[in-house]
Amino acid sequence: MSNELSHDTIDLTRLRWRFVICAASFYVNVITWGFISSTGIFEDSFRTTYELSSFKSTLPGSIQIATMSILSVFASILTIKYGVRWTTISGAFISTIGSILAAIIGDYWAFCLFYGFLVGTGETLMLV
């Protein structure tokens, strides 16, 4: 009998990794779209804290979605060139840095930059 596996046997190790990859992809989508959808909760707080108009209070979330839409083409090119794993990991890193900076910095325009642009860029890379 040879050391090679016959075509009739199933490699359970590969099946387990497929499940982990599928579950990880599911959670990336849940967290990313949940993060995007939760920006509406904070609009009233932005309006009262920074004394903003309705337009300015919705601007960070709008910048985030616009960044995701614009950069999706570049994210797909990066995925083809560097692979899904590195693109997703770098997107998670960029999104984490943007979230931390947006939470620490108290300026409204810095929040728009970090939450809107950096988190949007990271989420674009994660969702590809």
Side-chain angles (χ1 to χ4, degrees):
M1 181 172 232
S2 66
N3 290 336
E4 297 178 16
L5 294 173
S6 68
H7 294 294
D8 296 334
T9 59
I10 298 172
D11 186 10
L12 294 178
T13 309
R14 299 186 103 201
L15 288 177
R16 288 183 187 138
W17 280 111
R18 289 179 186 165
F19 176 74
V20 169
I21 291 168
C22 182
S25 175
F26 172 76
Y27 286 117
V28 164
N29 278 285
V30 165
I31 291 169
T32 302
W33 287 110
F35 202 65
I36 292 167
S37 300
S38 69
T39 56
I41 297 170
F42 302 110
E43 289 175 12
D44 190 44
S45 298
F46 290 150
R47 204 174 305 133
T48 57
T49 303
Y50 295 111
E51 298 173 0
L52 301 172
S53 64
S54 294
F55 171 76
K56 285 187 178 180
S57 67
T58 59
L59 193 60
S62 300
I63 291 172
Q64 183 183 30
I65 293 173
T67 302
M68 288 178 61
S69 299
I70 293 168
L71 294 181
S72 61
V73 174
F74 301 111
S76 64
I77 292 170
L78 288 174
T79 303
I80 292 169
K81 187 170 183 173
Y82 297 109
V84 175
R85 182 179 300 157
W86 290 108
T87 306
T88 304
I89 291 171
S90 62
F93 181 74
I94 292 170
S95 184
T96 302
I97 295 299
S99 297
I100 291 170
L101 290 174
I104 292 173
I105 310 252
D107 186 42
Y108 169 74
W109 292 107
F111 184 79
C112 286
L113 175 71
F114 295 130
Y115 181 78
F117 186 71
L118 273 182
V119 173
T121 301
E123 289 175 347
T124 302
L125 296 175
M126 286 190 294
L127 286 176
V128 169

